[in-house]
Amino acid sequence: MKVSVFATLVLSSFATALPSLKRRGGSFVLQNGIDAINLNNQFQSLTASSPCTSGNACVNGEFAQCVNGQYVLTSCGSGLICAALPLVNSAGTSITCTTQADLNSRIAATGATANGTSTTSGPSNVTTSSSAPTATSTAGSGSNSNSNAQTSLTLLSSLVAPNFAQNGQNVNTSQAGEYPSLTSTNNFINYCATLSNLPITNGQQVKNGSCNPAPMGAIPSISNMPSAKFVSPNNLAVLPANTTFQVTLAMKGLQTGYFVNPDTNYFSAPQQIDPTSGQIQGHAHIVIEALQSLTQTTPTDPNKFAYFLGMNSKADAKGQLYANVTGGLPEGTYKMSTIISAMNHQPVLVAVAQHGALDDQIYFTVVASGQNGTTTTTTFIGGSPLPSTASGVSSVPTGSST
Ligand SMILES: *[C@@H]1O[C@H](CO)[C@@H](O)[C@H](O)[C@H]1NC(C)=O
Ligand SMILES: *[C@@H]1O[C@H](CO)[C@@H](O)[C@H](O)[C@H]1NC(C)=O
Ligand SMILES: *[C@@H]1O[C@H](CO)[C@@H](O)[C@H](O)[C@H]1NC(C)=O
Ligand SMILES: *[C@@H]1O[C@H](CO)[C@@H](O)[C@H](O)[C@H]1NC(C)=O
Ligand SMILES: *[C@@H]1O[C@H](CO)[C@@H](O)[C@H](O)[C@H]1NC(C)=O
Ligand SMILES: *[C@@H]1O[C@H](CO)[C@@H](O)[C@H](O)[C@H]1NC(C)=O
Ligand SMILES: CC(=O)N[C@H]1CO[C@H](CO)[C@@H](O)[C@@H]1O
C-alpha cells in the first residue's frame, strides 16, 4: 500500500475523536475506511447554515470550521475537495483538502467500499437522512438487484428503518410500564460495538454468550406461520421402558429440510423464506426432558435433557417428520417439545406478536412392562424392551447435536 504524505494539504488536518467503537485485534484500517465513508456521506447533508457545536467538516466541498455554532467555509482551491480521509497508522479519520483521486485510493486501500450507496465521481451523494430513499430501489428483502450492496460496508439509505429512531414512549398507545426502546438511526449495524464484554457470535455457539450482528431477515405473512403437532407418542401416552419408540411430528407452514452447519454458521444469516410458498425455510428439533412428575411446577433446566434431535430431512407427503428414540427411555415422566428453527438455527420469527404456539409440547410416562392400565397409539419398533444398558437419562444428549 502506498503511504504518501498529505502533499495536497492547504489547511491543517484534524484527527477526529471517534465514538468509543471497539477495535478488534487493533485492525482499525477497515473501520477507518468505513468511518470516512460515513462521514463523507453525512457531510452531503450539511449546508453553510447547518448548526454545529464544534470541530471541522466539509460543506459543499469546502473546508468548514465550526465557529460560534456556525460553519465558516474556506475553499480548498482548484482541483481539490474537502473530505474525511482514513488515517493510516492509527484509528481515526482526518478532515482535509485533497484530490478526488487521493480520496478514492485511500478509501479503497482500507478495503471499505462506497459502492452500493454512492457514486465514485465525487464524495457520496447519499445522505444519512432516514427518509426519501435515493440509493437504490431494492425492496427491504436483501434482493441482489444492486449486486454491490451485498458486499458494501455502508448501509443503504433505502433500508434505514426510521421508526427505529423512536423509543415508543411518545405516542398514545404507550402502556404503563413500557420500557423506552433502544433506538438507532443506522439499524443498529454497529450495536455489538457497545457491548465491549461480548465477542461477536461469528457463526459459533459461544457458550459464554456473544452479540450477534446479523439482521433478523425475512418475516412471512400471517398465513405462513409454522405450526407443529406431535402425532406419536400422543399426549399422556404410557411407553415401555428402555424400548425404542418412534416420534412422528406433523409440520405445517414450514419448508423443511433446510439447515446449515451449526458449528460454523449458527445465527450467521437472516431468516429466509421460500419465494414460491412464502414459508420459512428451516427445520425442526425435538427435545425430551425428564420431569419429577406430570404435575411438576418448577421450571426445567435447559442444560439437561434426555434426548435431542434435529429433524433435518424434508417432511414426507403427509407433512410428517420421524425420529426413532433408539433404546427408549428409563422409567419416569417426560416432556417432549419441538424447537422450530429457521435455516441458521435461530427460532422462527413471524409477522405478528399475538399468535398461537408455533411449537408443540406433550407429556408422557415411561413404565416397566405391565405397570400400566393405559393403552397408547405409539408405534413401537422391534416390539420387546431392550437390555437395560441400552439407554439412560443424562445431560449428554443422544441423537444429533443440532
Ligand atoms: C465501484 O464500482 C465501479 C464500477 O461499478 C468501479 O469502477 C470502482 O472501482 C468501484 N469503487 C470501489 C471503491 O470499489
Ligand atoms: C445528488 O442528489 C441530488 C438531489 O437528490 C441530485 O439532484 C443530483 O443529481 C445528485 N448528484 C449525483 C452526482 O448523483
Ligand atoms: C394523543 O391523544 C391526544 C388526546 O386524545 C390527541 O390530541 C393526540 O393527537 C394524540 N396523539 C397521537 C400521536 O395520536
Ligand atoms: C466463560 O466464563 C467463565 C466465567 O466467567 C470463565 O471462567 C471462562 O474462562 C469463560 N470461558 C471462555 C471460553 O471464555
Ligand atoms: C426407525 O426405525 C425403523 C426400523 O428400524 C426404520 O425403518 C426407520 O427408517 C427408522 N426411522 C428413522 C427416522 O430413522
Ligand atoms: C431401564 O434402564 C435403566 C438404566 O438405563 C435401568 O435403571 C432400568 O432398570 C431399566 N428399566 C427396565 C424396565 O428395564
Ligand atoms: C409399558 C407397558 O407396559 N405398556 C402396556 C400398557 O398396557 C397395555 C394394555 O393394557 C399393553 O398393551 C402395553 O404393553
Side-chain angles (χ1 to χ4, degrees), residues 66-317:
C66 187
V67 179
N68 297 327
Q70 286 289 303
Y71 283 122
V72 176
L73 306 189
T74 310
S75 171
C76 281
S78 176
L80 300 179
I81 55 163
C82 177
L85 297 180
L87 294 184
V88 173
N89 293 318
S90 59
T93 56
S94 162
I95 296 167
T96 188
C97 289
T98 186
T99 62
Q100 181 70 56
D102 183 57
L103 169 63
N104 291 354
S105 71
R106 285 176 184 279
I107 286 181
T110 65
T113 170
N115 277 348
T117 59
S118 66
T119 66
T120 51
S121 61
S124 158
N125 202 23
V126 175
T127 73
T128 55
S129 154
S130 59
S131 59
T134 54
T136 71
S137 59
T138 56
S141 63
S143 119
N144 60 1
S145 65
N146 180 335
S147 57
N148 292 323
Q150 300 314 317
T151 53
S152 171
L153 292 170
T154 307
L155 176 65
L156 290 184
S157 60
S158 59
L159 299 186
V160 174
N163 288 349
F164 290 8
Q166 294 164 19
N167 70 4
Q169 297 282 294
N170 55 357
V171 292
N172 294 337
T173 55
S174 182
Q175 293 167 28
E178 273 181 2
Y179 257 72
S181 172
L182 209 55
T183 60
S184 172
T185 55
N186 70 350
N187 291 7
F188 296 99
I189 53 174
N190 292 319
Y191 173 66
C192 291
T194 68
L195 305 172
S196 58
N197 56 329
L198 291 180
I200 57 168
T201 310
N202 201 20
Q204 266 139 20
Q205 300 182 36
V206 184
K207 289 190 174 166
N208 268 9
S210 61
C211 180
N212 195 58
M216 296 185 195
I219 313 286
S221 74
I222 55 166
S223 57
N224 285 310
M225 293 193 278
S227 177
K229 190 77 198 79
F230 285 113
V231 175
S232 169
N234 56 322
N235 195 31
L236 303 177
V238 179
L239 311 183
N242 307 331
T243 305
T244 296
F245 64 94
Q246 177 177 281
V247 174
T248 303
L249 178 67
M251 213 39 253
K252 190 174 81 173
L254 184 77
Q255 289 291 308
T256 49
Y258 291 95
F259 65 106
V260 301
N261 185 331
D263 299 321
T264 58
N265 291 81
Y266 187 70
F267 292 179
S268 73
Q271 177 170 279
Q272 294 155 72
I273 59 180
D274 169 60
T276 308
S277 64
Q279 296 173 348
I280 296 167
Q281 293 172 326
H283 58 281
H285 312 83
I286 54 170
V287 60
I288 301 174
E289 295 164 84
L291 300 178
Q292 284 145 9
S293 74
L294 289 178
T295 54
Q296 174 175 331
T297 53
T298 50
T300 54
D301 177 355
N303 284 301
K304 296 193 177 120
F305 43 85
Y307 182 84
F308 189 101
L309 184 70
M311 299 175 101
N312 295 332
S313 52
K314 282 217 180 292
D316 70 3

Side-chain angles (χ1 to χ4, degrees), residues 340-351:
I340 310 300
S341 302
M343 204 188 303
N344 288 72
H345 307 280
Q346 62 272 55
V348 287
L349 301 173
V350 295

